[in-house]
Amino acid sequence: MKVIFDIAKAELRLLFYSPIAWLLLLCFTMQTGMIFTGLLERLVLEMNDYGVARWASESIFAKGNITLWDRVLNILYLYIPLLTMGCISRDFSNGSIKLFYSSPLSNLQIVLGKYLSLVFYALVLTGVLAIYVFIGWFSIENFEAGWIWTGWLGILLLTCTYMAIGLFMSSLTSYQIISAVGTFVVFMLLSMIKGWGQQYDFVREITYWLSIDGRAHTFIQGMLCSEDLIYFPTIIGLFLSLTVIRLHAVRQKQRWYITFGKNMVVVVAVCLLAYFSSRPALLAYYDATYTKKNALTPNSQEVVKRLDGGMTITTYVNVLDPGYISYRYPDYIIDNQRFFRQYTRFKPEMKIKTVYYYAEPDPDSLAADPTGKKAWAKARLVCEKNNADSTILKNKEEIDKLVDLSEEGYKFIWQMVRENGQKEWLRTYEGFGLKPGEAEITVAMKRMVLPLPKIGYITGHQERDIHERGPQGYYYVTGAKRVKFSVWNQGYDIEEITLKEPIPEDVNLVMIADPMVAFSEEEESYLQDYINRGGNLFILGETRRRDILNPMLRRFFGLELTPLLVQNLSDKLLPNVLAVEPTSEGKDKMYHLKSSWRWCMPTSSGIEIVEDKGYTAFPVTQTDTASLCWTELETTDFVDDSIIFNPTIGEISKVFTTVMGLYRKVGDKEQRILISGDADVLANNEFIERRGFLTSNERLLEGACWWLSEGAVPIDVRRPGGVDNKIFMSVSCFKGIVAMFHWIIPILLLGLYLFLWFRRRGH
């Protein structure tokens, strides 16, 4: 061991007497210092201006691709080849390698000594980064130390890995420039290798594991994974072993096939370690973030725990699907496995499979070509364009024997199948946010292990049709399984019911949307029975049919719908289209409303309390307080006519409640009721038209679903908010830090190098 340290000491002396090491250190310090101070400046100004600097730790170090750690990764690979290019090649070129060979030193001692000196330099480089971490630690309230130091560790391990690669390349040639270029090439190959051999299962696992691309990002995101912790020492060991073999071959003048055999033994050993260390059952994780953002939320973990036994998630990809480019073979296979990694972490026996097939999604095309020859020709063309093997594709007949995809239109879809035979679909969605998130995935799993709340959708009075895809229909929010915010994907089962008989006991929520015909006495009695037993309701009215709903609302809840509300809020909106805001009470009861500013309610009534029926009422949404709003009794043409507030005919102006919540205690449960003065708020048109800045109507639906199900669905995947929201640093102190990293430290480094240079010349 002493010999190794002596070699390292000698190498360090040579390294720090050379101008290249100091120049690289000087450039690295100045470059990272400017990045750090630029990020810090924004937070200091935010703190001074607003008294808060949200998520300060990650905003400087780890949030997005413009923060310090990510930008360091983008420049780090440029420095290492210039540093390592002469480590061994210099000894070959000046003949000093013969002194090593003539000494009793082993090749392993030589390599470890030289590598140890490089590790020391890596600690110096990352030590500069550690200074930034300490500044953040002492100036940011509740600094995310665990997260940020984890990112620093990832950068250190990556730097040490780069050093090992550079050392090996330096052993291959006596020309330093060739060594540097070769090191760049290896870096590039290790980034590209994850795309090699993806069509072969075993090879795919190996090449993806060997890829260095993104390895440090796991650390930067605050996650320690055993696979990554094993990866860096293994790759370091691989290149150090190859370096030892190379020196031994030169020293002993071995035959090429003996050297090749030794190299292959090392490579095969690494490949086997790669394969087994990446098995889900053998992986271990630690999330260093305060919010545990890299793990499933507790509610999702609880659902996964209930999925006892084996489970397989099979992805069915149609190469004729217009969206195939996002799931193309073979690249998507490994991406699909990574997509479910949070779930396989907690259920390692879960299997992820991908099946590729071809089938014409358009039924008319199938009718025109029952032989499937045209579909096969199209599929082969797609495969040729994407350099894919068409022989792996299953045809329509083969896929139909495996699974029934006809109802799904032969589109991209996942099917979850439990060991006990239970099955459930997981779909992509229309519009933005195509892939399901944690909430939707967990809901799909929950359907297999726990009963979900059921909506009883009242029909028989010309209510809004849940199957209607036109502007006034409710298909998007109730019946569409490929719309992300629909009640189905948020966790409700839905069933159309009538009031010709008592409401079933398994109905947890009754929904009434814009009835055009009054309820009969018998129907009202069945609804009254449901209310008396504590059932929850969601009633959406319309100002045009307030005479139908008002008698029932007065009798049951002591409420009335007002005449039509109007408001001159914007030139882009007609006066009868309201932009409403969630109230503080609404946000407290329904956390989904906190992420919305306004949403649209066309032709809405206000909701007034006219009698106390024993409920506690609270406003969920109200009209905008910045603009006059009133009940319009005269104007009916809001396109060509102008509107004027006329109190003399009974028009009333104030802030109106447009959605009201009611609750009371019934037995041992809390009964919850929502009344909306507008049914169009959830109509298809409001999700198709998207009126400019009024794009949050789905938040009302999600909030209503969550509150009315008493928190059962949608799955609550909230995490605690960041606590590092203040930075204690004055502007003058910040200017001092800028001066230190822009001028003082660079000048000190330059001065230290000149001192050593003159001292060496003096000897």
Side-chain angles (χ1 to χ4, degrees):
M1 185 62 72
K2 183 178 183 301
V3 173
I4 294 174
F5 279 109
D6 288 341
I7 295 174
K9 191 183 301 182
E11 287 294 320
L12 278 173
R13 190 177 296 112
L14 286 174
L15 193 63
F16 281 100
Y17 276 139
S18 70
I20 188 68
W22 287 98
L23 178 62
L24 292 177
L25 181 60
L26 179 64
C27 291
F28 184 79
T29 302
M30 293 183 66
Q31 193 170 8
T32 57
M34 286 188 285
I35 296 171
F36 174 71
T37 53
L39 295 166
L40 184 63
E41 180 181 23
R42 181 175 61 82
L43 291 179
V44 171
L45 294 177
E46 281 185 11
M47 191 68 195
N48 284 342
D49 292 341
Y50 307 110
V52 66
R54 296 193 180 280
W55 306 289
S57 308
E58 58 180 305
S59 294
I60 294 177
F61 295 96
K63 185 179 182 181
N65 56 9
I66 62 170
T67 48
L68 182 59
W69 287 166
D70 275 285
R71 293 172 75 175
V72 167
L73 293 185
N74 291 334
I75 63 174
L76 187 62
Y77 74 96
L78 298 172
Y79 288 86
I80 306 305
L82 300 176
L83 183 75
T84 60
M85 62 184 183
C87 286
I88 298 178
S89 60
R90 179 180 59 245
D91 296 322
F92 281 127
S93 63
N94 62 22
S96 59
I97 192 68
K98 296 178 181 178
L99 296 176
F100 283 115
Y101 287 166
S102 62
S103 69
L105 297 173
S106 69
N107 295 317
L108 179 62
Q109 289 173 325
I110 295 171
V111 170
L112 290 180
K114 288 180 174 291
Y115 181 68
L116 189 60
S117 68
L118 294 175
V119 169
F120 181 84
Y121 191 87
L123 288 171
V124 173
L125 274 183
T126 54
V128 174
L129 304 178
I131 296 174
Y132 307 142
V133 178
F134 279 115
I135 291 174
W137 201 348
F138 290 112
S139 60
I140 296 174
E141 181 183 54
N142 300 314
F143 183 68
E144 284 262 22
W147 179 355
I148 305 308
W149 281 117
T150 299
W152 178 86
L153 174 62
I155 293 174
L156 174 61
L157 290 173
L158 181 65
T159 307
C160 292
T161 304
Y162 282 165
M163 296 291 194
I165 296 170
L167 184 65
F168 168 66
M169 295 307 299
S170 180
S171 72
L172 298 180
T173 177
S174 60
Y175 298 99
Q176 295 187 25
I177 188 64
I178 294 178
S179 170
V181 173
T183 304
F184 279 119
V185 171
V186 174
F187 290 169
M188 180 184 68
L189 293 177
L190 280 177
S191 295
M192 295 170 55
I193 195 173
K194 68 179 180 181
W196 298 355
Q198 293 295 292
Q199 61 270 39
Y200 307 109
D201 291 345
F202 181 77
V203 176
R204 178 171 59 248
E205 298 286 348
I206 300 302
T207 56
Y208 194 89
W209 189 92
L210 287 174
S211 175
I212 202 169
D213 187 35
R215 287 289 180 180
H217 279 95
T218 307
F219 291 83
I220 289 173
Q221 292 303 311
M223 172 69 84
L224 288 175
C225 177
S226 60
E227 181 182 2
D228 298 311
L229 288 171
I230 292 172
Y231 173 83
F232 286 113
T234 301
I235 298 300
I236 290 170
L238 168 65
F239 282 97
L240 292 184
S241 299
L242 295 179
T243 307
V244 172
I245 293 171
R246 163 65 179 166
L247 292 183
H248 190 74
V250 174
R251 192 172 193 175
Q252 301 296 327
K253 294 183 172 55
Q254 283 181 343
R255 296 183 183 277
W256 70 268
Y257 54 83
I258 297 176
T259 303
F260 178 78
K262 290 180 179 179
N263 287 335
M264 289 307 299
V265 168
V266 173
V267 171
V268 169
V270 168
C271 289
L272 290 174
L273 179 61
Y275 181 79
F276 288 107
S277 68
S278 61
R279 298 305 86 203
L282 300 178
L283 295 177
Y285 300 86
Y286 174 72
D287 191 343
T289 64
Y290 170 78
T291 61
K292 302 301 177 187
K293 76 181 191 71
N294 298 299
L296 293 176
T297 55
N299 286 336
S300 294
Q301 292 183 39
E302 185 61 33
V303 171
V304 174
K305 284 180 183 177
R306 293 175 176 268
L307 290 167
D308 55 312
M311 181 174 175
T312 301
I313 300 179
T314 304
T315 311
Y316 294 98
V317 183
N318 186 354
V319 298
L320 301 183
D321 190 316
Y324 169 70
I325 190 66
S326 300
Y327 316 108
R328 61 185 174 184
Y329 175 87
D331 303 333
Y332 179 69
I333 296 175
I334 200 74
D335 291 340
N336 192 31
Q337 294 175 356
R338 307 293 289 188
F339 181 70
F340 289 101
R341 190 170 185 179
Q342 281 193 326
Y343 288 87
T344 55
R345 169 184 173 182
F346 294 98
K347 190 174 178 60
E349 68 272 22
M350 184 184 295
K351 297 178 181 178
I352 311 297
K353 297 181 179 180
T354 308
V355 175
Y356 285 86
Y357 68 98
Y358 68 93
E360 192 67 62
D362 185 357
D364 294 334
S365 296
L366 285 175
D369 180 26
T371 65
K373 291 182 179 179
K374 290 185 178 179
W376 171 236
K378 291 180 182 178
R380 281 190 302 175
L381 183 60
V382 170
C383 290
E384 289 174 7
K385 288 182 177 179
N386 292 278
N387 297 318
D389 182 6
S390 61
T391 62
I392 60 98
L393 300 180
K394 297 185 182 296
N395 60 35
K396 183 177 181 297
E397 289 71 25
E398 290 173 324
I399 205 70
D400 285 342
K401 292 178 182 179
L402 292 176
V403 61
D404 183 10
L405 296 176
S406 58
E407 291 187 5
E408 300 298 329
Y410 293 96
K411 293 183 179 180
F412 176 92
I413 198 167
W414 292 277
Q415 187 182 47
M416 297 182 288
V417 181
R418 295 183 66 194
E419 195 174 63
N420 62 10
Q422 284 184 305
K423 301 178 181 180
E424 187 59 53
W425 296 111
L426 182 64
R427 301 169 178 86
T428 54
Y429 305 116
E430 300 172 3
F432 297 102
L434 293 176
K435 288 188 177 181
E438 180 185 335
E440 291 76 32
I441 296 173
T442 301
V443 158
M445 292 179 175
K446 189 173 182 178
R447 287 186 185 280
M448 296 190 287
V449 292
L450 290 169
L452 291 175
K454 179 185 287 188
I455 294 176
Y457 190 84
I458 299 295
T459 61
H461 313 87
Q462 301 179 37
E463 291 90 349
R464 300 296 177 99
D465 191 342
I466 65 173
H467 308 291
E468 171 60 45
R469 298 177 183 240
Q472 302 304 310
Y474 266 33
Y475 173 75
Y476 273 25
V477 298
T478 54
K481 293 184 179 180
R482 285 193 178 269
V483 173
K484 189 171 186 177
F485 54 79
S486 73
V487 295
W488 172 268
N489 289 313
Q490 295 306 312
Y492 272 103
D493 290 329
I494 188 164
E495 177 183 327
E496 291 180 292
I497 63 174
T498 68
L499 291 175
K500 302 300 183 184
E501 56 187 8
I503 295 173
E505 291 291 332
D506 63 344
V507 169
N508 307 92
L509 170 64
V510 164
M511 190 170 179
I512 303 173
D514 188 20
M516 298 186 185
V517 178
F519 290 26
S520 67
E521 290 186 9
E522 180 186 26
E523 289 173 328
E524 285 196 10
S525 67
Y526 286 138
L527 186 59
Q528 181 71 71
D529 291 341
Y530 174 79
I531 294 171
N532 290 343
R533 77 183 193 215
N536 295 342
L537 285 94
F538 190 5
I539 301 176
L540 298 102
E542 270 292 325
T543 187
R544 298 185 300 273
R545 285 172 281 279
R546 52 194 290 268
D547 293 338
I548 294 173
L549 268 182
N550 272 349
M552 188 170 66
L553 291 177
R554 277 195 300 269
R555 187 178 309 113
F556 291 159
F557 312 115
L559 302 178
E560 279 189 353
L561 302 181
T562 70
L564 176 69
L565 300 181
V566 295
Q567 190 171 29
N568 273 324
L569 186 64
S570 168
D571 293 338
K572 297 180 180 180
L573 294 177
L574 293 175
N576 62 335
V577 178
L578 302 182
V580 300
E581 301 173 343
T583 64
S584 57
E585 297 97 324
K587 292 178 181 179
D588 289 340
K589 300 285 186 185
M590 308 168 200
Y591 72 87
H592 300 81
L593 306 189
K594 294 179 180 179
S595 60
S596 61
W597 177 43
R598 290 177 173 178
W599 56 74
C600 182
M601 296 186 75
T603 64
S604 178
S605 292
I607 302 171
E608 301 286 345
I609 300 174
V610 295
E611 186 179 349
D612 185 2
K613 292 290 185 176
Y615 292 92
T616 301
F618 66 95
V620 178
T621 64
Q622 290 182 331
T623 54
D624 192 300
T625 57
S627 179
L628 185 68
C629 179
W630 68 90
T631 55
E632 179 58 46
L633 303 178
E634 290 182 309
T635 305
T636 57
D637 183 354
F638 297 100
V639 176
D640 298 320
D641 291 350
S642 60
I643 59 169
I644 300 174
F645 173 52
N646 186 1
T648 61
I649 63 170
E651 293 181 349
I652 300 172
S653 171
K654 63 177 183 177
V655 175
F656 290 91
T657 297
T658 55
V659 179
M660 182 172 287
L662 305 172
Y663 62 91
R664 68 174 180 178
K665 199 75 172 175
V666 178
D668 59 351
K669 68 162 289 186
E670 183 178 88
Q671 183 179 39
R672 299 180 176 184
I673 297 165
L674 278 182
I675 312 292
S676 171
D678 177 38
D680 291 327
V681 67
L682 298 183
N684 296 335
N685 189 60
E686 295 312 311
F687 305 104
I688 298 172
E689 188 169 335
R690 293 291 187 184
R691 304 171 192 256
F693 58 92
L694 305 174
T695 59
S696 300
N697 287 36
E698 61 268 22
R699 297 301 181 200
L700 174 62
L701 178 68
E702 292 167 348
C705 286
W706 188 80
W707 187 65
L708 292 170
S709 70
E710 300 176 46
V713 294
I715 302 296
D716 189 352
V717 293
R718 286 179 296 170
R719 304 176 190 275
V723 293
D724 52 337
N725 298 324
K726 290 186 178 180
I727 182 167
F728 303 107
M729 181 179 293
S730 64
V731 175
S732 58
C733 180
F734 168 73
K735 290 180 178 178
I737 290 175
V738 171
M740 180 173 67
F741 287 110
H742 288 199
W743 299 101
I744 297 174
I745 292 180
I747 290 173
L748 287 176
L749 289 174
L750 182 61
L752 185 57
Y753 167 68
L754 291 175
F755 170 76
L756 292 174
W757 184 70
F758 282 119
R759 183 179 178 184
R760 189 183 184 194
R761 284 176 61 87
H763 287 287

